[in-house]
Amino acid sequence: MFDQFINWNALKFGWPLVLVPLLIHLFNRLRHKRMPWAAMMFLRVASRKSTRYAKLRQFLILLTRMAAVLALIMALSRPLAGSWLGGMLSGKPETVLFVLDRSVTMESRDGARLSKREAAVRLLEQTAKSFPGIELWYLDPVVGTPQRVDRLQMEQSGLAAQFEINATDVPTDVPRLLETAAEWLKKNKSGNCDIWLASDMQQSNWHPDAAGRWAAVSQGLAGKELPFKARLQVLAKTQSVSNNFAVRVQEARQREVRNDKRLELVLKFTGPADATRPMPLKFHLNGKDVAENEVDAEHRQFNLSAATTKRQGQDAELVQNVFLPLAGAPATGWGYVQIGIDLSEDGERFATDDNPRDNRSYFVYGPGLEKARALVVGPAHPTAGYLRLAADPFDHNIARIVSQDALSEVKFEDYATVLWHGALPAGETGGRLQRYLAQGGVALFIPEANSTVASDRAFAGLSWRAAQAATNAAGQPLASWRQALPGIQGNATGKGEQQGGFLVGGWKDREGPLANAQNEKPLPVTDLITIRRSLLVDHGKRAVQHIEAARQIAEAVAKGETGAGIGNLMRDLLDALRKADQDAQALGTARWPADRAQAFAAELVAPLEAQDVLQESAATQAILRLAPRVKQWAAELEAAGSGHHLLAHYEDGVPLLSRQLVGRGQAYFLATRPDEGWSSLHEEWIFLILVQRLLEAGEALGAGSYSVAHSRLVGVFKPEAETAAVVWNAKVGEGEAPDYRRDAGIYESADGQVLALNRPVSEDDPRHYGPDQEHLLKGLMGEVPLYVHWENSSNEAGKAADGPKEIWRWFLVFMAAFLLGEAILILPRTSDETVVGREQVQPAAST
Amino acid sequence: MAEGAYSQFLDGEVLGRLMRRFLHARTPMIGTMSGHHKSPHRGSSVEFAEYRKYSPGDDLRRLDWRVLARTDRYFIREFEADTNLRNYIVLDCSASMGFGDKGQRKFDYARRIAATLAYITSHQGDAVGLQCVGDKLISDIPPRRNPAHLRYVFDTLAGAAPRGETRLVTELHALAERIRSRALMIIISDFFCDVDELIHCFQHLHFRRHDFAVFHLLDPQELDFQFDRPMRFVDMETDSILLAEPDVIRREYIASVNEYLVKLHEGCNKFRADYRRVTTDATYEKVLADFLVERERYAKD
C-alpha cells in the first residue's frame, strides 16, 4: 500500500502494540466486578436475547481500539505514498538505483528558476530520504556503470558533491540504461530494487521502436530467472517548454562567389510557431566573433514567422542559408552559430529562451568537402543507380557506389546509411557491417538480381529465399512490372484489379520509413507494383521453433512418454538441437555471441552426439539430464531470437519491408528491387521517401553519439570507439570545462585534426510522452512494474511535487476517527424504561 | 433470646399504630373456636344470617314465632357463626432472599413483616403458625394462640437464614394439601421461580378455599437494573456466573421483568390472591398498614 516508511522501526517493533487492546479486553473480562444476584432468571433471558448485538458491539469496540493503535503506529512510522497507492503492494526495496537524464532537453526551464535536470536532482535527493538505511546507487548515462551513493555526503552537499550531474550533450538511451541496470542487478545480486529514473520523457530517448531491446529489458528486470524483483519509478519532468529556440548547422561548405571566398552555412532554426520577433544571430569563426558589418543584414537574424514547416505541437522549423566571409581565413577552420544573443548587450543570453543548451551549433569546414551520406554497395546494375539517385537526388555527391570487392577500403562508420543490393554480407565484411549496425548504423538490404535459388547467407538472423515471380494468364513469368498493369491502353479499372502482380496488403503508417507524412496523409504505398519478390527466412524464429520442439521431446521423455522409442526420440532431439544451433548462429555475433553458440553446442549437442542410441537406458538418462538445460537455453534463444518487425506486407502476408534491430542500429530488408524486372519501386515516390528517411534515421541513430562536421559534412563520431591514444582538447564548447565525451564543442587532437561535436539530432525531436501515453510505456516494460509520477504542468521547478509524500497526518485523522467511533460504541445505552407500576420510592428511613 | 428476637423484629411505635387495625380474613374461616371471623357455618352470633324452613328436630328456640303468627308457617332464624383465624405465615428462606443492594436484605424485610403480622394475629386472639421454606421445609410451626407460641415463632424467625435453592412451589402444594380447613396464608417471597408453576400453586390454594395473601418482595435494584459497568453476576442460589453488560441488556431485562410481573399479577387476580408487590425501599409500616386497611375495608363490604 505504501512505498516506504521513514521510521520503519516504529512499525517493525511497534506492531505488537496492536494486540494491547485485545489483551486489555481479555484481562478486563477477568476483572469484572463480582455481583451476587438473585434475579438470574430475568438476567439469563435478557442476556440470551442481547447476546448477538453485545458480541458485535464488543467486537467493534475491540476493532476500533486496535485500529486506533495501528493508526498511531503507522503515523509514528511516517509512511510515504505517491499518487499510485493502488500499485504499491510490493515490498520494500533492498536497493535503490537513481538514473538521471542529462540530455540537452533536460536543460529547459520554461521560465522557472531551475532547469528540469536541476529540479530532477532535487527530487532524487528528496526521494533518497524516503529510503533510510537502504543502499543507494547512481547510474550515470555518461559513465554507464552504477556508483554507490555516500548517503551522509549526499545529505550534506547533495548528489553534485559526489557525481558529475551537469548538463551534457549525450543522448539518454533509456533501454540501454535499463539493460545496464538489469545486468548490474544480476551480477551484484542486489535484491529487490527500485529504479528511479528522472526524465523529461522525450520519445527519442525511449526508443519505442526497439522492441527487441525492450523485450530484453523486460526479461532482465522481471526477475523470472533471478531471485529479485525490480520496479521502475519514473519522475516525469514534463512541464511544457513554450519559448525555446534552437539552431543546428546542417551543412558548412566553401563557396566562390565572384572570386570571393565565402563559407555557406545551412542553418535550421526551430522555435515556437507564434514567435513574431526576429531573433539575433552571432557567428564565431576561427576563434573570434564575426563582425556585424561582415554579415549581410538579412543574415544577422532570423524570424520564425517566415517558417513554412510546422512541427508537432507548436514548433516551427526554418532553414536559412547564411554566407560568411572567408577572405584571409585558413583553408580549414571551425566556428559556431549562436542565437538568442542580444548584440547590443554583449555576452548576455537572450532572456526569454527556455533552454540555453541548444542555442549554439558548432561546425568545421575544410577544402574539398566530400559529401558522403549514403553508401550503395552492390554490383554495377541500374539498381545501384536508382539507389544512389534516391539517396542524393540533387546530385550533391553525398552518395557513393562501391562494389562488394572494394569494401575493404571503406569505413562503414563514415556513412549514415548503407544501401546494400546483392548477396548478403558475410565473413569479415559481414562482421564489420554488424559492428557498424550495433553502434547505431542503418542499412537497407534488397535481394540479388538473379536470386533464383535460396541463398545460404544470413545476416542479422535473416536470409533470402529464392525469388518468387508473378505470372501472367498463360503461366509465364512477367518480364516487366509494366505488363502487370491492367488495361494499359486506357480501360484501367484500378489497382485493385492489377493482374499478375503482388498487391501491397498493408503497412505501418505510424512508425518506420513508410509512416504517414507530417500532415498525416498516408504515403502512396499501394501504388507499388511488384512482379518479383524474395521471401525472408527468419532464423531467430526458426531457432526458437527448433529448440521448442527439442524441449517438448525432452519433457515427453521426462514424463515417460516414449511411445516412438527412445532411439527415435533421441535422434529427433539431436536433429532439432542441431537445427536450432545452425539457425542461432545465423543470428550473427551481435545477437548470438560466439561464446554462447559454443556453450550451446557443448552443453546440448555434444553430449547427445556422444551418446549411443542403442543403449536405451543410458540415452534416457542423458536426455533427462539435458531436459532442464534445454528449457534454460530455450528461454535464452527466445530472448536473442526475437523476430523481425514487419513494416509492410503483401496481401498474402509475405513481408515487403521488415526491420531487424541489431544493437543500437537497424537493418531493413526490402523484398523487391527497384528494377524493371522486379517492381515499379524506382518510379514510385515512396522509394525516394523510404531512402531519405533511412538516411535521416541513420544520422539520428548514428549519432547516437554526435553529428560531426569535419572533412565530411556529416558522419558518425563515436567517442567510445576512439582509441585512448587520441586526446581531444577543447577549443570551445558547452560548459565550463568541455569534454568531448559529454559536451558539444570544437575539439582538436594533438595531430591537428579538428572536430565539431553537436547535440544529437534526436534531441531535436519534439515528441514527448504524456500521461495519456503511459500505457505505451507500460507496454514497453512488459511485466516490470512501472509507476510514472507525472509532473504537474503548473509545477515550479525544484518543488518536489511528484516525490513520495508523507501521509502520517492522515493516520492521525484515522486514529481520531477510530477513537471517536469507539467512544460512540462504548456510550452507555440510555434506557428510561421502567418496570410496570414501579414508582420511585424514597429509601426507607431507619426503622 | 426471646426479648432479643422481639426487639429485632418489632418496633413498638409501629406496632402501636398498626395494632389499631384488625387482621381480617377475606373469606369465611373454619376455626376450632369462637372468634372474630366469619365462618361458613351458622352459629350463635348476634348477626342475622337468613331464614330457612323448619325441619323436624330443629331447636324450637330458634323458631321465629312472629313469622309463624303472621303467616302460619315455620321458619327457623339463623345467625352468623364467628370463629377464630388460623394464620399460616410462609416465609421464603431461599438464598435469593438474601439479596440486598444497599444493606437491606429482602430476607430481613420479610422477617420483619412476618414477625409483625404474627404479633398482630396473636394479639387479636388468632392462631399463628410459621413455615420457613428453603431448599426444603426448614421449619413448620403449626398455628397456636398462646403467647409462648409467639415467642417460639420469633425464635424460629431469628434463627432462620437464606440459603439454597427455593422449593416454595413444592412446599406450597404440600401445605395446601396438608391444611384441610380454610385458613389465612400469608406468603412472603421474591417468587424467583417459574411463574406458571407458581400460578398453578395459587390455583391449588384457591381450590382448597384458603384466603392467601402474597407479599412479593423485590429489591429496587432488581427492578431498575442500574449498573454503570459490565458485571460478573453470580447466581445466589446456584453459584453459576453470567458476564453481562447491564447497559446493553437492560431493555431486555426490564421487558422480561415486566412480562413476569404482569403474568404473576394476572395469576393472583384470577385466583383471588391478595397480591402485594413490595420493594425493600418502602417502609414496612406503610406496607402493612395498607394491607390491614384494605382487608378491613374488604371485610366491611
Side-chain angles (χ1 to χ4, degrees):
Chain A
M1 182 90 173
F2 311 103
D3 301 316
Q4 300 88 28
F5 298 87
I6 290 180
N7 186 9
W8 169 247
N9 285 339
L11 186 61
K12 188 177 175 183
F13 298 110
W15 73 264
L17 293 177
V18 173
L19 300 176
V20 169
L22 180 64
L23 296 176
I24 292 175
H25 173 78
L26 295 175
F27 186 64
N28 260 345
R29 284 178 71 89
L30 300 175
R31 291 185 62 238
H32 281 170
K33 187 180 174 186
R34 189 182 169 89
M35 181 73 185
W37 191 251
M40 288 298 280
M41 53 188 288
F42 310 122
L43 202 55
R44 288 199 181 93
V45 172
S47 179
R48 196 164 50 242
K49 289 183 178 176
S50 307
T51 295
R52 186 173 297 174
Y53 171 76
K55 282 188 176 175
L56 177 65
R57 183 168 167 269
Q58 285 280 3
F59 178 73
L60 288 176
I61 290 171
L62 190 60
L63 208 62
T64 52
R65 286 174 180 167
M66 293 173 75
V69 175
L70 182 63
L72 178 64
I73 293 169
M74 290 292 284
L76 290 175
S77 62
R78 298 175 67 189
L80 298 163
S83 55
W84 63 97
L85 280 175
M88 296 291 95
L89 295 172
S90 50
K92 201 177 178 186
E94 294 163 63
T95 312
V96 171
L97 179 66
F98 290 145
V99 185
L100 176 63
D101 180 359
R102 292 166 64 196
S103 61
V104 173
T105 48
M106 285 291 281
E107 293 309 301
S108 58
R109 59 189 71 208
D110 194 22
R113 188 170 55 85
L114 298 176
S115 67
K116 288 181 180 178
R117 178 185 53 79
E118 290 164 330
V121 169
R122 288 198 176 184
L123 271 181
L124 290 179
E125 287 169 354
Q126 288 176 5
T127 305
K129 293 176 185 172
S130 311
F131 298 97
I134 292 177
E135 269 193 21
L136 299 179
W137 293 75
Y138 173 67
L139 173 58
D140 186 77
V142 178
V143 177
T145 53
Q147 300 160 274
R148 188 163 189 164
V149 178
D150 184 336
R151 184 182 287 275
L152 187 63
Q153 195 177 358
M154 187 193 68
E155 286 172 0
Q156 289 172 349
S157 316
L159 275 176
Q162 298 179 63
F163 306 106
E164 182 65 50
I165 55 169
N166 292 333
T168 71
D169 293 289
V170 178
T172 298
D173 187 339
V174 175
R176 195 189 68 176
L177 287 170
L178 294 179
E179 279 178 315
T180 305
E183 286 170 13
W184 175 77
L185 288 171
K186 186 177 177 183
K187 185 179 173 186
N188 291 279
K189 296 182 174 56
S190 304
N192 293 346
C193 178
D194 265 9
I195 301 171
W196 287 80
L197 168 66
S199 165
D200 64 348
M201 311 304 288
Q202 190 178 28
Q203 287 190 17
S204 60
N205 294 160
W206 287 74
H207 298 278
D209 294 340
R213 294 170 63 197
W214 279 109
V217 167
S218 176
Q219 193 173 19
L221 292 177
K224 277 183 179 173
E225 300 172 5
L226 302 170
F228 68 77
K229 290 179 183 174
R231 299 186 299 195
L232 180 60
Q233 311 264 13
V234 180
L235 295 169
K237 305 291 296 177
T238 53
Q239 78 258 39
S240 60
V241 177
S242 57
N243 197 21
N244 183 42
F245 296 88
V247 64
R248 177 177 294 281
V249 177
Q250 289 192 307
E251 291 184 31
R253 52 183 173 240
Q254 293 187 64
R255 284 284 180 90
E256 290 269 342
V257 181
R258 291 186 295 277
N259 295 326
D260 189 12
K261 276 179 67 179
R262 290 199 166 199
L263 179 66
E264 182 185 7
L265 297 177
V266 180
L267 306 178
K268 186 169 85 173
F269 302 100
T270 54
D274 55 355
T276 55
R277 183 177 167 183
M279 296 287 288
L281 285 173
K282 176 186 173 183
F283 300 96
H284 190 94
L285 204 56
N286 296 317
K288 58 184 179 183
D289 292 342
V290 178
E292 193 175 345
N293 56 7
E294 293 180 10
V295 185
D296 294 338
E298 69 269 24
H299 294 161
R300 289 180 214 149
Q301 59 187 22
F302 71 96
N303 193 343
L304 278 180
S305 61
T308 53
T309 308
K310 306 292 183 189
R311 298 199 306 176
Q312 183 179 341
Q314 300 300 313
D315 281 358
E317 273 184 7
L318 173 69
V319 177
Q320 181 174 310
N321 288 26
V322 173
F323 291 91
L324 300 178
L326 273 184
T332 302
W334 56 273
Y336 63 80
V337 182
Q338 184 167 325
I339 61 170
I341 297 296
D342 190 340
L343 297 178
S344 61
E345 299 174 19
D346 195 18
E348 291 295 323
R349 296 247 166 158
F350 197 78
T352 58
D353 189 52
D354 286 337
N355 189 351
R357 192 83 182 186
D358 58 6
N359 288 357
R360 195 186 275 188
S361 182
Y362 301 90
F363 62 89
V364 293
Y365 66 91
L369 291 176
E370 188 182 337
K371 305 166 187 172
R373 299 177 69 195
L375 180 68
V376 181
V377 181
H381 190 278
T383 297
Y386 293 139
L387 287 168
R388 182 184 170 282
L389 190 60
D392 186 12
F394 301 110
D395 200 16
H396 283 165
N397 198 24
I398 57 172
R400 182 182 167 194
I401 301 176
V402 178
S403 71
Q404 291 195 23
D405 301 334
L407 277 178
S408 58
E409 298 172 2
V410 173
K411 282 180 70 179
F412 290 119
E413 285 75 11
D414 291 344
Y415 300 90
T417 303
V418 174
L419 306 173
W420 189 286
H421 76 107
L424 290 173
E428 185 266 341
T429 304
R432 284 202 296 130
L433 193 56
Q434 287 251 13
R435 285 195 293 279
Y436 160 73
L437 290 175
Q439 291 173 0
V442 171
L444 173 68
F445 297 95
I446 57 180
E448 276 185 274
N450 301 317
S451 54
T452 51
V453 294
S455 170
D456 57 350
R457 287 189 178 183
F459 186 82
L462 297 172
S463 64
W464 294 116
R465 280 187 190 163
Q468 187 182 33
T471 55
N472 58 17
Q476 298 296 319
L478 297 174
S480 168
W481 62 272
R482 298 177 199 279
Q483 295 173 352
L485 279 175
I488 201 162
Q489 294 303 320
N491 57 345
T493 53
K495 297 276 181 180
E497 296 180 20
Q498 179 182 348
Q499 295 174 351
F502 303 108
L503 295 176
V504 175
W507 72 97
K508 299 272 184 187
D509 57 359
R510 290 285 165 190
E511 59 158 328
L514 299 179
N516 289 346
Q518 286 185 352
N519 58 7
E520 290 299 321
K521 285 188 178 175
L523 300 185
V525 184
T526 50
D527 288 354
L528 177 66
I529 299 168
T530 305
I531 59 168
R532 196 177 294 265
R533 64 186 183 184
S534 279
L535 274 58
L536 271 179
V537 179
D538 190 332
H539 292 275
K541 199 172 173 183
R542 274 204 336 203
V544 170
Q545 288 170 349
H546 290 316
I547 193 79
E548 181 61 24
R551 190 183 64 79
Q552 287 177 2
I553 293 171
E555 276 189 4
V557 173
K559 290 178 185 171
E561 298 168 0
T562 54
I566 195 70
N568 290 333
L569 285 174
M570 187 167 171
R571 269 189 289 274
D572 292 344
L573 177 62
L574 184 58
D575 186 45
L577 289 174
R578 278 176 178 156
K579 286 178 179 173
D581 186 28
Q582 286 172 3
D583 282 319
Q585 288 185 32
L587 293 176
T589 53
R591 295 169 64 193
W592 191 248
D595 58 339
R596 197 171 295 187
Q598 287 172 3
F600 183 90
E603 283 188 29
L604 300 185
V605 182
L608 284 183
E609 285 177 339
Q611 183 61 47
D612 186 356
V613 180
L614 297 176
Q615 295 179 354
E616 290 196 356
S617 174
T620 306
Q621 289 302 319
I623 294 175
L624 290 178
R625 278 196 301 274
L626 227 57
R629 295 300 299 153
V630 171
K631 197 173 177 182
Q632 289 175 8
W633 278 103
E636 284 206 32
L637 254 183
E638 197 167 352
S642 57
H644 61 274
H645 189 55
L646 190 62
L647 296 173
H649 61 86
Y650 292 104
E651 275 193 332
D652 53 0
V654 171
L656 167 61
L657 181 66
S658 304
R659 179 173 59 208
Q660 180 69 59
L661 299 175
V662 182
R664 288 165 53 192
Q666 300 169 348
Y668 291 86
F669 290 79
L670 188 62
T672 189
R673 292 165 56 89
D675 188 328
E676 197 71 15
W678 283 68
S679 72
S680 65
L681 189 61
H682 51 292
E683 294 201 2
E684 302 290 352
W685 280 109
I686 58 163
F687 182 50
L688 179 65
I689 295 168
L690 170 70
V691 174
Q692 287 296 320
R693 284 184 172 176
L694 293 185
L695 289 175
E696 198 174 313
E699 286 173 16
L701 274 178
S705 48
Y706 305 94
S707 298
V708 58
H710 184 36
S711 61
R712 341 166 254 290
L713 180 64
V714 177
V716 178
F717 170 70
K718 302 178 188 314
E720 64 267 27
E722 290 294 308
T723 59
V726 180
V727 177
W728 294 97
N729 297 312
K731 293 172 82 71
V732 63
E734 301 291 324
E736 292 178 0
D739 186 325
Y740 76 97
R741 285 168 296 196
R742 61 167 191 264
D743 299 316
I746 301 293
Y747 297 90
E748 185 175 23
S749 67
D751 60 358
Q753 288 189 71
V754 182
L755 188 69
L757 298 179
N758 285 302
R759 68 184 184 280
V761 177
S762 58
E763 284 298 302
D764 290 346
D765 189 341
R767 293 172 298 175
H768 288 70
Y769 285 117
D772 55 336
Q773 293 167 305
E774 189 172 326
H775 63 283
L776 298 177
L777 298 174
K778 288 187 186 294
L780 292 176
M781 293 302 295
E783 295 179 16
V784 180
L786 169 73
Y787 308 105
V788 187
H789 315 292
W790 298 100
E791 182 173 53
N792 192 337
S793 56
S794 61
N795 178 46
E796 298 172 15
K799 179 181 172 187
D802 290 328
K805 296 179 181 66
E806 283 201 50
I807 53 172
W808 60 271
R809 289 180 185 82
W810 279 106
F811 285 97
L812 289 186
V813 174
F814 292 151
M815 185 186 74
F818 287 133
L819 289 178
L820 182 65
E822 191 255 6
I824 292 171
L825 283 170
I826 62 169
L827 273 179
R829 295 178 74 196
T830 51
S831 169
D832 52 0
E833 292 182 13
T834 52
V835 171
V836 177
R838 167 77 176 138
E839 293 174 5
Q840 291 297 324
V841 182
Q842 290 299 319
S846 60
T847 53
Chain B
M1 174 69 189
E3 288 303 321
Y6 273 86
S7 61
Q8 182 182 355
F9 302 123
L10 300 179
D11 182 318
E13 292 182 12
V14 174
L15 272 180
R17 289 190 288 274
L18 291 177
M19 290 289 282
R20 296 174 197 156
R21 307 290 176 187
F22 193 84
L23 176 58
H24 290 276
R26 296 190 305 173
T27 56
M29 296 285 111
I30 297 178
T32 53
M33 302 177 68
S34 174
H36 305 287
H37 305 278
K38 282 184 182 176
S39 168
H41 306 299
R42 296 295 172 246
S44 56
S45 72
V46 293
E47 194 162 343
F48 173 76
E50 62 181 351
Y51 285 106
R52 72 171 170 82
K53 285 185 177 179
Y54 169 78
S55 298
D58 284 340
D59 186 0
L60 290 178
R61 285 178 296 176
R62 291 165 61 190
L63 191 69
D64 194 330
W65 298 103
R66 289 178 184 169
V67 173
L68 178 65
R70 283 201 300 271
T71 62
D72 201 20
R73 291 180 181 176
Y74 301 99
F75 281 97
I76 296 294
R77 289 188 69 185
E78 291 199 326
F79 295 87
E80 294 283 358
D82 286 337
T83 184
N84 71 328
L85 174 75
R86 288 177 302 138
N87 184 4
Y88 285 86
I89 297 176
V90 180
L91 178 64
D92 183 0
C93 293
S94 66
S96 64
M97 287 293 286
F99 181 77
D101 188 43
K102 294 177 179 173
Q104 172 77 302
R105 296 194 303 172
K106 288 186 286 186
F107 187 70
D108 298 335
Y109 198 96
R111 284 197 298 186
R112 196 178 288 264
I113 289 177
T116 306
L117 287 175
Y119 187 87
I120 291 172
T121 307
S122 180
H123 277 264
Q124 70 185 22
D126 290 323
V128 62
L130 176 68
Q131 274 71 36
C132 293
V133 180
D135 51 359
K136 60 182 179 181
L137 185 59
I138 297 168
S139 58
D140 182 12
I141 303 173
R144 297 278 190 278
R145 293 179 60 204
N146 54 349
H149 179 73
L150 188 59
R151 189 170 300 144
Y152 178 42
V153 168
F154 275 45
D155 288 345
T156 305
L157 281 176
R163 68 171 64 90
E165 292 185 56
T166 182
R167 282 174 53 84
L168 182 67
V169 171
T170 310
E171 292 305 325
L172 283 179
H173 275 298
L175 206 59
E177 287 297 319
R178 197 165 65 240
I179 304 171
R180 296 188 178 276
S181 305
R182 299 177 185 184
L184 171 64
M185 295 181 70
I186 295 175
I187 308 165
I188 307 171
S189 170
D190 53 12
F191 296 115
F192 288 154
C193 53
D194 186 84
V195 68
D196 292 325
E197 291 180 6
L198 192 64
I199 291 170
H200 185 246
C201 185
F202 292 163
Q203 185 183 13
H204 193 180
L205 291 173
H206 178 67
F207 177 76
R208 303 294 293 189
R209 303 201 174 185
H210 296 302
D211 177 15
F212 58 101
V214 171
F215 282 88
H216 189 186
L217 281 188
L218 291 166
D219 190 276
Q221 185 65 297
E222 290 172 335
L223 294 175
D224 299 336
F225 202 61
Q226 294 282 12
F227 294 96
D228 57 354
R229 52 180 293 188
M231 307 292 281
R232 178 189 296 270
F233 292 100
V234 183
D235 192 336
M236 297 178 75
E237 294 188 359
T238 63
D239 286 338
S240 61
I241 292 173
L242 182 69
L243 285 174
E245 290 184 71
D247 59 325
V248 175
I249 65 171
R250 184 172 185 275
R251 188 188 299 270
E252 295 295 340
Y253 180 91
I254 298 291
S256 178
V257 171
N258 273 334
E259 184 185 359
Y260 163 83
L261 290 177
V262 167
K263 206 167 182 179
L264 180 61
H265 198 246
E266 286 174 356
C268 289
N269 285 344
K270 186 174 180 182
F271 300 111
R272 301 197 61 200
D274 185 4
Y275 177 80
R276 306 268 153 190
R277 191 207 299 173
V278 181
T279 51
T280 54
D281 56 351
T283 56
Y284 81 99
E285 180 188 357
K286 183 175 184 303
V287 171
L288 288 177
D290 289 347
F291 174 70
L292 294 173
V293 167
E294 197 162 322
R295 283 196 158 253
E296 198 171 64
R297 190 184 304 135
Y298 192 92
K300 284 181 181 174
D301 293 341

